[in-house]
Amino acid sequence: MRRLLAALAGACAAVLCAAVALVSVLVPAHPAAAATLTEVTNFGANPGNLRMHLYVPNGVQQNPAIVLAMHTCGGSGPGFYSSTEFASLADRYGFIVIYPSASKKMNCFDNWSEASKVRGGQTDPVSLMSMVTYVEQQYHGDPNRVFATGASSGAMMTNAMLALYPEVFKAGAAFMGVPFTCFPNEAAYNPAGNSAPCVGKTAQQWGDAVRNANPAYRGPWPRMQLWHGTADNVVAYSELEEEVKQWTNVHGLSQTPTSTDTPQSGWSRRRYADGSGTVKVEAYTIQGAGHSLPAGGMAAVALQFFGLTGNSSSPSPSPSPSPSASPSVSPSASPSASPSASPSAPQQGACRITYRANSWNEGFTAEVTITNTGAAPVNGWTVTWAWPGNQRIVNAWNATATQSGAQVTARNVSYNPAIPAGGSTSFGFQATYSGSNTAPSGFALNGTACTTA
C-alpha cells in the first residue's frame, strides 16, 4: 500500500490533470453574458482550509437550489467550473453552484482521516457545510433542495457528505468515486494504478458505515446516482459495485436492480426503486471510459436525477426577502396562508393556471404559474387540484403542499402571498408516479375555478 501511495504523485497527477484538461477542451466556454465566478472569504468555520468560489446565475430563482460541485485530485474549484457543464445549466435553471477548492495532498479532499468520517470532525466536511449554510443565509437557498456532486476525490467527498449530513443533502451524483469510509488512513489513500482498495466488504458492512455516522438518524436517506467508466485506470471500475452495495443497503433495497436500460450508446443504467416506484439509487456504467467523467451531457442527467430540470417560467433575479421560509411537504400539516392577510377570493374566471411537467421513469417535477387575470389583487392564495392517477408529491418549493388521497392543496409561503392584478407567481414540486403521468384536469384558486393554459 505504501508503494501505491508513492505512485499517487505520478499516476494520479498525470491522469487526473490530463482528464481535467481534456474536459476543459471539450466543454465550450461560458457565454460572455453569463454571470461570473466569484470567490467568497469568511464564509464560516473552515477547519479544512478550503477556498470557496460561487456561481450565482443572473436569473437565479427566488429560493434557489444549491449544488455543491467538487473537483478531482490536482484540481480546483475554478477548474471544475470551467471544465464541467454545471454553471451553464445553472444559467438555464436558476440554481446556485458552490465550487470548493481542496488544500491537502495534491489538492485532494480529505477522505482518509478519522475526522473526515465523523459528523462535525474538524476537517473538510465541516468547511463544506459552512459553504452550504452561507448560501442558504445570504442567497435564501432552499434547504429542501441541496445536492452534492463531484469527480474522483470530489465523488468520494460526495459519498461522505451524504453519509455525514443526510438531513441536509437530498441527493448526490458521484463520478468515479469509492464508498464512504473506504480509506482507513492517509497511507491507504491511493486510488492510483487501478488498485481497487475498497473491494470485499458486504453490503451490510458498507451500509453500517453510513448508519454509524449518525446512529440516531432514521431517514429519509439521500438518493444517490453513481457513475464509472470500465477503462478507469485511476479508480477501479470495481468500486462502482461497492458504492451500489453501500447505498442500496442504506435504503433497504435489494442489490438486484428493478430496471436496466441503455439511455444512449455505451451507457448502461441500473435502477433500484423502492416499493412506491421511487428510484433511490442509479448506477451508470460507461463502456470504455477512463478517468474522465463527467463527460458531455452527464451533468444534465445528474440534475434531472436531482429534479432540477423541470420546465419553469423566468426566474426572478433577486433573492427572497425571507431566509427563514422553508418550503415543505407534510402529509398531516395544515399550514396557513400569510399571517398578515387572509386569502382574497378572485372573481369567477379571474385566474389562470399554467402547469408544466417534466417526467422521467417513476418521477417528475412540475412548475405551476398562477396569473391573476382579475381587477383586484389577491392577498394570500391556496391552489387545489385532484390527480387523475397515482401521482404523489414528495417536496415543494415556493409553496407548502399537502396531499390527501388524490387531492392536493398548495398554499403560499410567507414571502409570496400577494398576486397583483395582472401579475403572476409560481411554485413547483417534485413527485412520483407509475403508469401514465396525466396532468390535472382543473385547478382552483381560493376555491374559484381557474382557466388552464
Side-chain angles (χ1 to χ4, degrees):
M1 190 61 74
R2 291 187 178 275
R3 276 191 282 233
L4 290 174
L5 177 59
L8 178 61
C12 190
V15 178
L16 290 176
C17 293
V20 170
L22 175 62
V23 179
S24 298
V25 171
L26 293 177
V27 177
H30 300 291
T36 58
L37 187 71
T38 59
E39 183 165 9
V40 177
T41 57
N42 300 320
F43 51 82
N46 186 19
N49 192 30
L50 306 186
R51 295 176 65 183
M52 175 185 179
H53 284 81
L54 196 64
Y55 187 77
V56 182
N58 292 331
V60 65
Q61 293 181 359
Q62 284 190 335
N63 285 95
I66 302 168
V67 175
L68 178 66
M70 295 170 283
H71 62 76
T72 65
C73 281
S76 68
F80 205 56
Y81 158 78
S82 63
S83 64
T84 59
E85 299 168 315
F86 292 105
S88 60
L89 290 163
D91 290 331
R92 181 174 180 182
Y93 297 111
F95 57 88
I96 290 176
V97 191
I98 301 170
Y99 293 98
S101 294
S103 63
K104 301 177 181 69
K105 202 179 184 67
M106 285 187 54
N107 291 349
C108 299
F109 290 102
D110 180 3
N111 295 281
W112 57 83
S113 71
E114 286 303 312
S116 73
K117 305 180 185 81
V118 179
R119 183 184 176 99
Q122 293 303 296
T123 187
D124 293 9
V126 168
S127 299
L128 295 168
M129 276 303 306
S130 294
M131 297 180 192
V132 171
T133 301
Y134 176 89
V135 174
E136 288 180 347
Q137 293 176 346
Q138 298 299 317
Y139 293 89
H140 310 284
D142 186 349
N144 288 323
R145 294 189 296 154
V146 179
F147 307 93
T149 188
S152 194
S153 175
M156 299 172 195
M157 188 53 73
T158 297
N159 279 281
M161 295 305 288
L162 268 62
L164 293 169
Y165 302 97
E167 81 286 5
V168 173
F169 294 92
K170 301 306 176 187
F175 295 86
M176 314 173 304
V178 300
F180 174 60
T181 70
C182 166
F183 301 105
N185 51 50
E186 183 173 358
Y189 183 74
N190 181 24
N194 210 30
S195 54
C198 309
V199 174
K201 288 186 179 180
T202 66
Q204 184 69 38
Q205 289 172 319
W206 282 128
D208 286 344
V210 173
R211 287 183 286 270
N212 291 341
N214 290 274
Y217 187 74
R218 296 293 181 268
W221 295 97
R223 299 164 63 240
M224 179 61 91
Q225 186 183 73
L226 305 162
W227 299 73
H228 225 111
T230 59
D232 194 329
N233 62 356
V234 176
V235 179
Y237 170 65
S238 56
E239 299 296 350
L240 176 63
E241 297 308 310
E242 305 305 302
E243 292 176 290
V244 168
K245 287 194 291 186
Q246 184 164 70
W247 289 102
T248 53
N249 185 265
V250 166
H251 284 285
L253 303 174
S254 167
Q255 293 174 57
T256 301
T258 51
S259 67
T260 60
D261 63 357
T262 305
Q264 58 179 274
S265 178
W267 294 19
S268 299
R269 176 173 60 182
R270 289 169 287 161
R271 285 178 151 180
Y272 303 82
D274 63 13
S276 71
T278 301
V279 176
K280 298 295 187 179
V281 180
E282 278 190 344
Y284 281 81
T285 293
I286 310 303
Q287 190 64 39
H291 202 69
S292 57
L293 308 183
M298 294 180 182
V301 175
L303 294 176
Q304 184 182 57
F305 182 76
F306 295 167
L308 297 183
T309 58
N311 295 331
S312 63
S313 57
S314 299
S316 169
S318 59
S320 155
S322 172
S324 62
S326 299
S328 61
V329 178
S330 169
S332 59
S334 180
S336 62
S338 170
S340 62
S342 58
S344 302
Q347 297 175 347
Q348 183 70 30
C351 54
R352 182 174 68 248
I353 297 289
T354 302
Y355 175 85
R356 298 287 183 267
N358 181 48
S359 302
W360 60 92
N361 290 346
E362 299 100 19
F364 69 103
T365 58
E367 193 79 12
V368 181
T369 301
I370 314 162
T371 301
N372 179 5
T373 56
V378 171
N379 193 0
W381 51 264
T382 298
V383 175
T384 55
W385 70 90
W387 290 120
N390 60 357
Q391 295 95 331
R392 192 81 190 174
I393 292 181
V394 295
N395 62 57
W397 51 94
N398 295 337
T400 56
T402 57
Q403 182 169 345
S404 178
Q407 188 69 30
V408 180
T409 301
R411 294 182 171 89
N412 66 270
V413 287
S414 61
Y415 54 82
N416 64 355
I419 311 176
S424 300
T425 193
S426 296
F427 67 92
F429 57 84
Q430 182 179 357
T432 62
Y433 76 100
S434 61
S436 61
N437 186 22
T438 306
S441 58
F443 296 83
L445 173 61
N446 295 342
T448 299
C450 299
T451 59
T452 56

